[in-house]
Protein backbone atom coordinates (compact mmCIF):
# COMPACT_ATOMS: atom_id res chain seq x y z
CA UNK A 1 0.00 0.00 0.00
CA UNK A 2 1.32 3.49 -0.87
CA UNK A 3 2.45 5.76 1.94
CA UNK A 4 -0.23 8.21 3.12
CA UNK A 5 2.02 10.27 5.40
CA UNK A 6 5.59 10.84 6.49
CA UNK A 7 6.48 9.82 10.03
CA UNK A 8 9.40 11.35 11.92
CA UNK A 9 11.43 8.51 13.35
CA UNK A 10 12.68 10.68 16.21
CA UNK A 11 9.45 12.18 17.62
CA UNK A 12 6.79 10.05 15.82
CA UNK A 13 5.00 13.11 14.42
CA UNK A 14 2.95 12.43 11.29
CA UNK A 15 3.29 14.89 8.41
CA UNK A 16 0.94 15.18 5.46
CA UNK A 17 3.30 16.43 2.76
CA UNK A 18 6.97 16.66 1.91
CA UNK A 19 6.84 20.42 2.56
CA UNK A 20 5.71 19.82 6.14
CA UNK A 21 8.48 17.26 6.62
CA UNK A 22 11.04 19.80 5.41
CA UNK A 23 9.78 22.47 7.81
CA UNK A 24 9.77 19.98 10.67
CA UNK A 25 13.34 19.02 9.89
CA UNK A 26 14.48 22.64 9.96
CA UNK A 27 12.75 23.37 13.27
CA UNK A 28 13.79 20.22 15.14
CA UNK A 29 16.91 18.98 13.34
CA UNK A 30 15.31 15.57 12.86
CA UNK A 31 16.33 13.84 9.65
CA UNK A 32 14.94 10.34 10.10
CA UNK A 33 11.72 10.28 8.03
CA UNK A 34 9.88 7.29 6.63
CA UNK A 35 6.65 6.73 4.78
CA UNK A 36 3.66 5.52 6.78
CA UNK A 37 0.44 3.89 5.63
CA UNK A 38 -1.50 5.73 8.34
CA UNK A 39 -3.09 8.96 7.08
CA UNK A 40 -2.88 12.23 9.01
CA UNK A 41 -6.21 12.94 10.72
CA UNK A 42 -8.52 15.52 9.16
CA UNK A 43 -11.12 16.33 11.83
CA UNK A 44 -13.26 19.21 10.54
CA UNK A 45 -15.31 21.32 12.97
CA UNK A 46 -18.90 21.24 11.73
CA UNK A 47 -19.55 24.67 13.28
CA UNK A 48 -16.76 26.82 11.80
CA UNK A 49 -15.04 24.48 9.34
CA UNK A 50 -11.68 24.52 11.16
CA UNK A 51 -9.63 21.38 10.29
CA UNK A 52 -7.69 19.65 13.07
CA UNK A 53 -5.02 17.11 12.28
CA UNK A 54 -4.53 15.66 15.76
CA UNK A 55 -6.63 14.96 18.82
CA UNK A 56 -4.63 17.61 20.67
CA UNK A 57 -5.57 20.26 18.09
CA UNK A 58 -9.20 19.20 18.39
CA UNK A 59 -9.10 19.57 22.20
CA UNK A 60 -7.47 23.01 21.96
CA UNK A 61 -10.04 24.19 19.41
CA UNK A 62 -12.89 22.97 21.63
CA UNK A 63 -11.36 24.74 24.65
CA UNK A 64 -10.98 28.05 22.79
CA UNK A 65 -14.31 28.12 20.94
CA UNK A 66 -16.59 25.65 22.71
CA UNK A 67 -17.20 23.76 19.45
CA UNK A 68 -17.31 20.04 20.15
CA UNK A 69 -18.83 18.50 17.00
CA UNK A 70 -16.24 17.31 14.46
CA UNK A 71 -16.55 15.33 11.24
CA UNK A 72 -13.81 12.83 10.43
CA UNK A 73 -12.85 13.47 6.78
CA UNK A 74 -9.50 11.72 6.93
CA UNK A 75 -10.52 9.20 4.28
CA UNK A 76 -11.65 11.96 1.88
CA UNK A 77 -8.40 13.94 1.99
CA UNK A 78 -5.91 11.11 2.35
CA UNK A 79 -3.63 10.79 -0.67
CA UNK A 80 -0.37 8.97 -1.34
CA UNK A 81 2.82 10.81 -0.50
CA UNK A 82 4.55 11.93 -3.70
CA UNK A 83 8.18 12.99 -3.63
CA UNK A 84 8.47 15.39 -6.56
CA UNK A 85 11.76 16.35 -8.08
CA UNK A 86 12.40 20.07 -8.13
CA UNK A 87 13.99 21.19 -11.38
CA UNK A 88 16.89 23.56 -10.87
CA UNK A 89 17.23 26.33 -13.42
CA UNK A 90 20.64 27.71 -14.44
CA UNK A 91 22.87 24.89 -13.16
CA UNK A 92 26.59 25.03 -13.75
CA UNK A 93 26.47 22.59 -16.64
CA UNK A 94 23.42 24.20 -18.31
CA UNK A 95 23.29 27.29 -20.47
CA UNK A 96 20.45 29.56 -21.46
CA UNK A 97 19.12 26.90 -23.79
CA UNK A 98 18.92 24.34 -21.02
CA UNK A 99 17.05 26.81 -18.78
CA UNK A 100 14.53 27.51 -21.52
CA UNK A 101 14.06 23.80 -22.02
CA UNK A 102 13.40 23.20 -18.29
CA UNK A 103 10.98 26.10 -18.19
CA UNK A 104 9.07 24.78 -21.14
CA UNK A 105 8.66 21.43 -19.37
CA UNK A 106 6.77 23.06 -16.44
CA UNK A 107 3.01 23.18 -16.87
CA UNK A 108 -0.03 24.05 -14.75
CA UNK A 109 -1.33 20.92 -13.02
CA UNK A 110 -4.68 19.52 -13.96
CA UNK A 111 -7.40 20.00 -11.29
CA UNK A 112 -11.12 19.35 -11.04
CA UNK A 113 -12.81 21.86 -13.36
CA UNK A 114 -16.12 21.92 -11.45
CA UNK A 115 -14.42 22.55 -8.12
CA UNK A 116 -12.25 25.25 -9.70
CA UNK A 117 -15.30 27.00 -11.15
CA UNK A 118 -17.09 26.84 -7.78
CA UNK A 119 -14.10 28.39 -5.98
CA UNK A 120 -13.87 31.16 -8.58
CA UNK A 121 -17.58 31.84 -8.14
CA UNK A 122 -16.93 32.27 -4.43
CA UNK A 123 -14.48 35.08 -5.24
CA UNK A 124 -11.13 33.28 -4.98
CA UNK A 125 -8.52 34.05 -7.71
CA UNK A 126 -7.85 31.34 -10.28
CA UNK A 127 -4.23 30.89 -9.22
CA UNK A 128 -5.16 30.58 -5.55
CA UNK A 129 -8.00 28.14 -6.30
CA UNK A 130 -5.78 26.01 -8.57
CA UNK A 131 -3.05 25.98 -5.94
CA UNK A 132 -5.47 24.87 -3.22
CA UNK A 133 -6.95 22.03 -5.29
CA UNK A 134 -3.49 20.90 -6.37
CA UNK A 135 -1.86 20.80 -2.95
CA UNK A 136 -4.86 19.23 -1.21
CA UNK A 137 -5.06 16.59 -3.96
CA UNK A 138 -8.82 16.70 -3.66
CA UNK A 139 -11.84 17.95 -5.59
CA UNK A 140 -13.60 18.81 -2.31
CA UNK A 141 -14.36 22.55 -2.23
CA UNK A 142 -14.55 22.69 1.56
CA UNK A 143 -11.08 21.16 1.91
CA UNK A 144 -9.69 23.61 -0.64
CA UNK A 145 -11.23 26.59 1.17
CA UNK A 146 -9.70 25.42 4.46
CA UNK A 147 -6.30 25.15 2.78
CA UNK A 148 -6.63 28.72 1.41
CA UNK A 149 -7.50 30.06 4.86
CA UNK A 150 -4.51 28.31 6.44
CA UNK A 151 -2.05 29.48 3.74
CA UNK A 152 -3.45 32.93 2.90
CA UNK A 153 -0.29 34.58 4.27
CA UNK A 154 2.02 32.55 2.03
CA UNK A 155 4.07 34.87 -0.21
CA UNK A 156 3.39 32.69 -3.27
CA UNK A 157 -0.30 32.10 -2.56
CA UNK A 158 -1.36 33.87 -5.78
CA UNK A 159 1.26 32.27 -8.02
CA UNK A 160 0.05 29.58 -10.40
CA UNK A 161 1.59 26.24 -9.38
CA UNK A 162 3.81 24.53 -11.96
CA UNK A 163 4.68 20.85 -12.24
CA UNK A 164 6.75 18.93 -14.77
CA UNK A 165 4.76 18.18 -17.90
CA UNK A 166 5.24 14.45 -17.52
CA UNK A 167 3.93 14.53 -13.94
CA UNK A 168 0.37 14.92 -15.22
CA UNK A 169 0.52 11.76 -17.26
CA UNK A 170 3.31 9.63 -15.81
CA UNK A 171 4.82 8.69 -12.51
CA UNK A 172 6.40 11.63 -10.74
CA UNK A 173 10.08 11.51 -9.99
CA UNK A 174 11.37 11.21 -6.47
CA UNK A 175 13.36 13.71 -4.45
CA UNK A 176 16.24 12.85 -2.19
CA UNK A 177 15.62 13.24 1.55
CA UNK A 178 17.80 16.37 1.58
CA UNK A 179 15.71 17.99 -1.14
CA UNK A 180 12.47 16.98 0.63
CA UNK A 181 13.69 18.60 3.85
CA UNK A 182 14.62 21.83 2.12
CA UNK A 183 11.24 22.06 0.43
CA UNK A 184 9.12 21.91 3.62
CA UNK A 185 11.04 24.24 5.94
CA UNK A 186 9.28 27.51 5.28
CA UNK A 187 5.68 26.31 5.71
CA UNK A 188 6.29 24.53 9.02
CA UNK A 189 8.24 27.49 10.41
CA UNK A 190 5.41 29.86 9.51
CA UNK A 191 2.81 27.55 11.02
CA UNK A 192 4.79 27.26 14.24
CA UNK A 193 5.19 31.01 14.55
CA UNK A 194 1.47 31.54 13.99
CA UNK A 195 0.61 28.94 16.62
CA UNK A 196 3.03 30.47 19.15
CA UNK A 197 1.58 33.94 18.59
CA UNK A 198 -1.95 32.62 19.10
CA UNK A 199 -0.94 30.83 22.29
CA UNK A 200 0.75 33.96 23.65
CA UNK A 201 -2.32 36.04 22.86
CA UNK A 202 -4.65 33.54 24.55
CA UNK A 203 -2.39 33.37 27.61
CA UNK A 204 -2.45 37.16 27.96
CA UNK A 205 -6.24 37.17 27.75
CA UNK A 206 -6.51 34.40 30.34
CA UNK A 207 -4.15 36.25 32.69
CA UNK A 208 -6.17 39.47 32.34
CA UNK A 209 -9.37 37.55 33.11
CA UNK A 210 -7.79 35.92 36.19
CA UNK A 211 -6.65 39.31 37.49
CA UNK A 212 -10.08 40.87 36.92
CA UNK A 213 -11.93 38.05 38.68
CA UNK A 214 -9.46 38.16 41.58
CA UNK A 215 -9.98 41.90 42.08
CA UNK A 216 -13.77 41.54 41.98
CA UNK A 217 -13.73 38.73 44.55
CA UNK A 218 -11.40 40.67 46.83
CA UNK A 219 -13.58 43.79 46.66
CA UNK A 220 -16.77 41.79 47.30
CA UNK A 221 -15.15 40.11 50.32
CA UNK A 222 -14.00 43.46 51.71
CA UNK A 223 -17.48 44.99 51.40
CA UNK A 224 -19.10 41.95 53.01
CA UNK A 225 -16.68 42.01 55.97
CA UNK A 226 -17.19 45.76 56.44
CA UNK A 227 -20.98 45.43 56.45
CA UNK A 228 -20.80 42.54 58.91
CA UNK A 229 -18.62 44.57 61.30
CA UNK A 230 -20.97 47.54 61.09
CA UNK A 231 -24.00 45.33 61.68
CA UNK A 232 -22.40 43.82 64.80
CA UNK A 233 -21.49 47.29 66.13
CA UNK A 234 -25.06 48.51 65.64
CA UNK A 235 -26.47 45.37 67.25
CA UNK A 236 -24.24 45.69 70.34
CA UNK A 237 -25.06 49.37 70.70
CA UNK A 238 -28.79 48.58 70.63
CA UNK A 239 -28.31 45.92 73.32
CA UNK A 240 -26.38 48.34 75.51
CA UNK A 241 -29.03 51.05 75.16
CA UNK A 242 -31.76 48.57 76.05
CA UNK A 243 -29.82 47.38 79.11
CA UNK A 244 -29.34 51.00 80.29
CA UNK A 245 -33.06 51.71 79.94
CA UNK A 246 -33.92 48.57 81.89
CA UNK A 247 -31.55 49.48 84.73
CA UNK A 248 -32.99 52.98 84.91
CA UNK A 249 -36.51 51.64 85.15
CA UNK A 250 -35.52 49.19 87.88
CA UNK A 251 -33.84 51.98 89.82
CA UNK A 252 -36.97 54.11 89.57
CA UNK A 253 -39.10 51.17 90.69
CA UNK A 254 -36.86 50.68 93.75
CA UNK A 255 -37.17 54.36 94.66
CA UNK A 256 -40.95 54.17 94.39
CA UNK A 257 -41.07 51.05 96.57
CA UNK A 258 -38.83 52.71 99.15
CA UNK A 259 -41.05 55.82 99.25
CA UNK A 260 -44.16 53.65 99.60
CA UNK A 261 -42.68 51.79 102.58
CA UNK A 262 -41.75 55.08 104.31
CA UNK A 263 -45.28 56.33 103.74
CA UNK A 264 -46.79 53.19 105.27
CA UNK A 265 -44.49 53.51 108.31
CA UNK A 266 -45.44 57.13 108.73
CA UNK A 267 -41.95 58.37 108.02
CA UNK A 268 -41.44 61.62 106.27
CA UNK A 269 -40.33 61.32 102.68
CA UNK A 270 -36.68 61.71 101.94
CA UNK A 271 -35.53 64.96 100.53
CA UNK A 272 -35.18 64.36 96.89
CA UNK A 273 -31.69 64.83 95.65
CA UNK A 274 -31.34 67.59 93.17
CA UNK A 275 -31.57 66.05 89.77
CA UNK A 276 -28.36 66.37 87.94
CA UNK A 277 -28.71 67.99 84.65
CA UNK A 278 -28.37 65.36 82.05
CA UNK A 279 -25.61 66.11 79.58
CA UNK A 280 -26.90 67.12 76.20
CA UNK A 281 -27.09 64.15 73.91
CA UNK A 282 -24.19 63.97 71.59
CA UNK A 283 -24.91 63.19 68.06
CA UNK A 284 -23.08 60.14 66.98
CA UNK A 285 -22.37 59.30 63.46
CA UNK A 286 -24.43 56.23 62.80
CA UNK A 287 -22.49 53.49 61.04
CA UNK A 288 -23.80 52.28 57.74
CA UNK A 289 -25.77 49.07 58.18
CA UNK A 290 -27.41 47.10 55.34
CA UNK A 291 -31.02 48.22 55.19
CA UNK A 292 -32.78 44.89 55.14
CA UNK A 293 -31.06 43.08 58.08
CA UNK A 294 -31.22 46.25 60.27
CA UNK A 295 -34.94 46.86 59.69
CA UNK A 296 -35.76 43.20 60.14
CA UNK A 297 -33.71 43.08 63.35
CA UNK A 298 -35.67 46.02 64.80
CA UNK A 299 -38.98 44.37 63.89
CA UNK A 300 -37.91 41.07 65.44
CA UNK A 301 -36.70 42.79 68.64
CA UNK A 302 -39.98 44.68 69.00
CA UNK A 303 -41.98 41.51 68.38
CA UNK A 304 -40.06 39.58 71.05
CA UNK A 305 -40.29 42.50 73.49
CA UNK A 306 -44.06 42.68 72.96
CA UNK A 307 -44.36 38.90 73.50
CA UNK A 308 -42.48 39.11 76.81
CA UNK A 309 -44.46 42.11 78.06
CA UNK A 310 -47.75 40.46 77.09
CA UNK A 311 -46.85 37.40 79.22
CA UNK A 312 -44.58 38.93 81.87
CA UNK A 313 -46.40 37.06 84.63
CA UNK A 314 -45.07 33.72 83.29
CA UNK A 315 -41.37 34.19 82.59
CA UNK A 316 -40.70 30.44 82.28
CA UNK A 317 -43.32 30.08 79.53
CA UNK A 318 -41.84 33.04 77.61
CA UNK A 319 -38.35 31.60 77.86
CA UNK A 320 -39.59 28.20 76.63
CA UNK A 321 -41.26 29.94 73.65
CA UNK A 322 -38.00 31.73 72.80
CA UNK A 323 -36.04 28.47 72.98
CA UNK A 324 -38.61 26.65 70.81
CA UNK A 325 -38.48 29.36 68.13
CA UNK A 326 -34.67 29.29 68.29
CA UNK A 327 -34.82 25.53 67.60
CA UNK A 328 -37.10 26.07 64.56
CA UNK A 329 -34.80 28.78 63.17
CA UNK A 330 -31.63 26.75 63.84
CA UNK A 331 -33.02 23.65 62.08
CA UNK A 332 -33.86 25.63 58.93
CA UNK A 333 -30.47 27.41 58.93
CA UNK A 334 -28.56 24.12 59.24
CA UNK A 335 -30.78 22.10 56.86
CA UNK A 336 -32.26 24.52 54.31
CA UNK A 337 -33.02 21.72 51.83
CA UNK A 338 -35.03 19.60 54.31
CA UNK A 339 -38.74 20.32 53.82
CA UNK A 340 -39.70 18.92 57.22
CA UNK A 341 -37.80 21.73 58.97
CA UNK A 342 -39.41 24.37 56.75
CA UNK A 343 -42.98 23.30 57.59
CA UNK A 344 -44.80 23.78 60.93
CA UNK A 345 -48.33 22.50 61.65
CA UNK A 346 -50.28 25.29 63.35
CA UNK A 347 -52.68 22.85 65.03
CA UNK A 348 -49.88 20.80 66.60
CA UNK A 349 -50.52 20.65 70.37
CA UNK A 350 -46.89 21.20 71.34
CA UNK A 351 -46.53 24.15 68.98
CA UNK A 352 -49.75 25.72 70.27
CA UNK A 353 -48.70 25.25 73.90
CA UNK A 354 -45.22 26.72 73.48
CA UNK A 355 -45.54 29.29 70.65
CA UNK A 356 -48.90 29.47 68.91
CA UNK A 357 -50.92 30.46 71.99
CA UNK A 358 -48.57 33.34 72.84
CA UNK A 359 -49.22 36.77 71.40
CA UNK A 360 -46.45 37.46 68.88
CA UNK A 361 -45.08 33.92 68.44
CA UNK A 362 -46.46 33.28 64.95
CA UNK A 363 -45.67 36.87 63.92
CA UNK A 364 -42.00 36.38 64.79
CA UNK A 365 -41.78 33.23 62.67
CA UNK A 366 -43.36 35.13 59.78
CA UNK A 367 -40.67 37.81 60.12
CA UNK A 368 -38.10 35.01 59.74
CA UNK A 369 -39.59 33.96 56.39
CA UNK A 370 -42.40 31.53 57.27
CA UNK A 371 -45.68 32.03 55.38
CA UNK A 372 -49.21 30.83 56.06
CA UNK A 373 -50.51 28.52 53.39
CA UNK A 374 -54.14 27.95 52.58
CA UNK A 375 -54.25 25.04 55.02
CA UNK A 376 -52.99 24.65 58.57
CA UNK A 377 -49.25 25.06 58.07
CA UNK A 378 -46.53 27.68 58.32
CA UNK A 379 -44.22 27.08 55.35
CA UNK A 380 -40.90 28.63 54.37
CA UNK A 381 -40.31 28.18 50.58
CA UNK A 382 -36.83 27.02 49.67
CA UNK A 383 -36.15 30.14 47.60
CA UNK A 384 -37.14 32.31 50.59
CA UNK A 385 -34.50 30.85 52.95
CA UNK A 386 -32.20 33.76 53.83
CA UNK A 387 -29.16 32.70 55.85
CA UNK A 388 -28.36 36.26 56.97
CA UNK A 389 -31.95 36.84 58.11
CA UNK A 390 -31.99 33.55 60.04
CA UNK A 391 -28.68 34.44 61.72
CA UNK A 392 -30.18 37.81 62.73
CA UNK A 393 -33.23 36.05 64.18
CA UNK A 394 -30.99 33.66 66.12
CA UNK A 395 -29.00 36.58 67.56
CA UNK A 396 -32.18 38.35 68.67
CA UNK A 397 -33.53 35.19 70.34
CA UNK A 398 -30.23 34.52 72.14
CA UNK A 399 -30.22 38.10 73.39
CA UNK A 400 -33.81 37.79 74.60
CA UNK A 401 -33.03 34.53 76.44
CA UNK A 402 -29.74 35.58 78.05
CA UNK A 403 -30.38 39.29 78.76
CA UNK A 404 -32.15 39.55 82.16
CA UNK A 405 -33.31 43.08 81.37
CA UNK A 406 -34.84 42.24 77.99
CA UNK A 407 -38.44 43.47 77.68
CA UNK A 408 -38.57 45.10 81.09
CA UNK A 409 -39.53 48.45 79.58
Amino acid sequence: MAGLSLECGDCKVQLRTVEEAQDHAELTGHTNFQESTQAVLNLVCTTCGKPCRTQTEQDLHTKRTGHSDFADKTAETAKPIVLESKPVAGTSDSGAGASAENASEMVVPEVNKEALAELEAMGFPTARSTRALHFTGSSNVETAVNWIVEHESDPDIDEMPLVPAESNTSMQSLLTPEEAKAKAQELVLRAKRKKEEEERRMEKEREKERIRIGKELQEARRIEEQQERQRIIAFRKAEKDEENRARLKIRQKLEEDKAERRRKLGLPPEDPKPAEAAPPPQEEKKPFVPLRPASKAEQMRECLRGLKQAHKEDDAKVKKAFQTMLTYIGNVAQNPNEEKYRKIRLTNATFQERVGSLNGGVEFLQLCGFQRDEGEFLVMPRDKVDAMLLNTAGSELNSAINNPFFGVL
Side-chain angles (χ1 to χ4, degrees), residues 247-259:
R247 286 179 177 176
L248 179 60
K249 185 170 183 179
I250 292 174
R251 191 179 300 114
Q252 292 174 351
K253 181 66 175 175
L254 291 175
E255 292 293 335
E256 293 174 358
D257 292 344
K258 185 177 180 181

Side-chain angles (χ1 to χ4, degrees), residues 304-323 352-355 357-359 400 406-407:
L304 294 176
R305 186 181 292 114
L307 189 152
K308 184 168 185 178
Q309 291 177 351
H311 306 278
K312 58 184 177 181
E313 71 284 351
D314 194 349
D315 188 66
K317 186 173 184 179
V318 171
K319 190 171 183 179
K320 182 182 291 185
F322 288 168
Q323 291 173 340
Q352 281 296 325
E353 177 187 354
R354 296 186 178 184
V355 179
S357 61
L358 276 66
N359 184 22
F406 182 83

Side-chain angles (χ1 to χ4, degrees), residues 214-261:
K215 288 182 178 179
E216 290 181 355
L217 290 176
Q218 185 176 2
E219 180 65 15
R221 192 179 299 112
R222 184 190 66 80
I223 294 174
E224 183 179 358
E225 291 175 353
Q226 180 181 6
Q227 291 181 350
E228 181 65 17
R229 286 194 298 269
Q230 294 173 347
R231 189 190 69 81
I232 292 174
I233 291 172
F235 177 73
R236 290 177 178 174
K237 184 179 182 300
E239 280 190 333
K240 187 175 181 181
D241 292 343
E242 183 177 359
E243 184 176 347
N244 290 336
R245 291 194 301 269
R247 286 179 177 176
L248 179 60
K249 185 170 183 179
I250 292 174
R251 191 179 300 114
Q252 292 174 351
K253 181 66 175 175
L254 291 175
E255 292 293 335
E256 293 174 358
D257 292 344
K258 185 177 180 181
E260 180 66 19
R261 286 195 300 271

Side-chain angles (χ1 to χ4, degrees), residues 281-305:
Q282 298 180 355
E283 294 186 0
E284 296 182 0
K285 185 178 180 181
K286 296 183 179 180
F288 169 76
V289 182
L291 179 60
R292 186 188 63 177
S295 62
K296 283 289 185 180
E298 289 294 336
Q299 295 177 26
M300 291 176 181
R301 192 177 302 118
E302 289 299 325
C303 183
L304 294 176
R305 186 181 292 114

